[in-house]
Each structure stands twice: as C-alpha cells, then as structure tokens.
Amino acid sequence: MVTANATSQAASTGAAVSISHLHHAFSLGKQTVPVLENISLQLRPGESVALLGPSGCGKSTLLRLLAGLVFQDPTLYPWLTVRQNVLLGPQAQGKKGLEPKADALISRMGLQAFSEAWPRQLSGGMAQRAALARALLNEPRLLLLDEPLGKLDSLTRISMQRELIALWQQQGYTSLLVTHDIEEALLLCDRVLIMSPRPGRIIAEFALALTYPRHRDNPLLLQHRQDILRILGQGEDW
C-alpha cells in the first residue's frame, strides 16, 4: 500500500508519504520476477531521503510506483523551447504571471543562454536541468528525483547539488532521491536508506543530524560512506 498526503502543518509545504509492506513483481513470459519485497517507508513533511543500492534492486521502480500518485514526466516536449517547457505545467492549469519565476529557475539551472533553445539543441545534462526547473516551478509537495544529476560533469554537479539544497530549503517540499553516488546522498539528504539486491528490501538506514551546508571531508560523512560501502559489499576496496 502506498499513500501520499499533503500536510497541513505550517512548518512545511511538503507531503507526508507512507509506504506499508509493499511488494512488487514483473511478469516476464511465464515467469514472475520479484522486484520489491516488503518495503515500508515513511517520509515526514519536508524531509529529504535518498535511496542507495545496487543496480536492478528496484529503486527506480519504487519511484515509478510513487509517480503514479504524483505525476512527473522528465521528458521535454521537442516542439517547445526550454522556457516554454518550464512554463507548461502552470499554463495548463491556467496560472499566469509566473514568467519571472520561470526565468529565475532557468538561470539557477545555468540555462539562461538556452532559454529559447529547442530540446534537440541541449546536452543530456542540460535537458535534465530543464526538466528539474519545470518540476520546481510547479511548487511540488513531493519531488521524486531519479539520478537527476547523473549526466552532469563533476564541477556542474557540485554546483547543482548546492542549488538543490537551497531550493529544497526555500520551497519546503518532501524529496525522495535515487542516486548511485554515496557522497551525493550524504550531502543532500536527511536520511539515507540502503536497499538490498533484487528483490529490493531496505536493509539499513542512516540518519544525518548535520546542518547545511555540509562538507565532503566531514569525518562523520566519511565514516558513513565507509559503512555504506561495507554494507554494499565494497568495503575492502575503499
């Protein structure tokens, strides 16, 4: 069972999410392939949580199941410019006067020079940032992020990590992030959940009682990184 409820608490505009004993499987021909096993998860309003785990463990599947309740499509429409894509959601809802906010988000994503570009003229990383700006303009209560910075070069990724933290703090949405980057999860999130190989189960949790901004050389973060690598079977290599 999966539910997503908007909070009425003044402290946050984020959604409260509750996942209780979730199982999921795919049918491949005559075979049933279990993907998720007994997933229970609660997200507090305004909380930022990361999912880490080996490839194929069901992280993205879990996000897609949640996206059935909170629609998010990362694909840019090829017949619209970057700016038009970003403004599409509010305009479809009849909202007006959001052009300055859209332009500000486009600028924060480092795309001000490409505001009137077509999606085909963007790199993969630029398209990711444009899709993120579109999602943020809608002021979501729940933001589902599946490797949102995965196509960026290392320097741009560091810059965008700072922007994600700032936007999350400003808007107060609840965030669920799927990433393979352990450092990114530790820098961005309140909690980090570790999933097992398929069928994915939550096997460990790290609560991060640290203020922002966080620093990559923080001894506690380095210790958590080593612990997570050990849980994922990579401890001896690092």
Side-chain angles (χ1 to χ4, degrees):
M1 179 178 70
V2 183
T3 61
N5 300 307
T7 177
S8 61
Q9 298 178 15
S12 172
T13 60
V17 178
S18 177
I19 301 172
S20 180
H21 303 293
L22 173 66
H23 296 260
H24 189 71
F26 292 133
S27 294
L28 297 177
K30 296 182 180 180
Q31 291 186 319
T32 298
V33 179
V35 179
L36 297 171
E37 182 179 90
N38 198 29
I39 298 288
S40 292
L41 170 63
Q42 284 73 44
L43 304 182
R44 296 183 294 274
E47 186 178 26
S48 179
V49 175
L51 289 174
L52 285 171
S55 295
C57 73
K59 303 184 298 298
S60 295
T61 297
L62 180 56
L63 252 62
R64 284 195 291 269
L65 291 172
L66 277 170
L69 298 172
V70 185
F71 177 75
Q72 286 180 221
D73 184 357
T75 304
L76 298 179
Y77 294 100
W79 57 88
L80 299 177
T81 66
V82 167
R83 190 171 190 262
Q84 290 169 336
N85 264 286
V86 172
L87 283 164
L88 181 62
Q91 288 179 345
Q93 300 173 46
K95 297 179 181 179
K96 298 180 179 180
L98 290 177
E99 289 81 3
K101 185 176 179 180
D103 291 336
L105 279 169
I106 290 169
S107 180
R108 292 187 75 161
M109 296 296 137
L111 296 172
Q112 60 270 32
F114 295 87
S115 179
E116 300 304 321
W118 304 103
R120 66 177 180 273
Q121 297 173 306
L122 305 179
S123 68
M126 293 164 72
Q128 277 187 316
R129 284 180 276 159
L132 183 57
R134 181 176 62 187
L136 291 167
L137 186 63
N138 289 313
E139 297 185 347
R141 292 182 172 181
L142 174 63
L143 189 63
L144 306 176
L145 300 166
D146 194 352
E147 292 283 351
L149 310 181
K151 296 180 180 180
L152 305 183
D153 64 86
S154 58
L155 292 178
T156 304
R157 188 164 186 155
I158 290 171
S159 175
M160 287 305 304
Q161 286 169 349
R162 289 195 297 266
E163 289 294 346
L164 279 179
I165 292 170
L167 288 163
W168 167 63
Q169 290 177 318
Q170 291 169 12
Q171 296 194 12
Y173 51 76
T174 305
S175 172
L176 185 59
L177 166 71
V178 163
T179 179
H180 288 95
D181 189 323
I182 296 173
E183 183 181 82
E184 183 168 274
L186 294 170
L187 287 170
L188 298 185
C189 297
D190 296 318
R191 283 190 292 148
V192 177
L193 306 179
I194 313 302
M195 293 181 66
S196 69
R198 192 180 68 239
R201 295 174 292 107
I202 296 175
I203 56 175
E205 175 179 326
F206 292 81
L208 305 170
L210 294 171
T211 58
Y212 295 92
R214 295 171 180 172
H215 299 284
R216 287 167 168 79
D217 57 355
N218 183 297
L220 182 58
L221 292 189
L222 293 175
Q223 182 59 57
H224 283 332
R225 183 176 183 274
Q226 292 177 349
D227 293 339
I228 291 170
L229 284 168
R230 192 174 301 111
I231 291 170
L232 295 174
Q234 303 296 325
E236 294 182 0
D237 297 330
W238 300 91

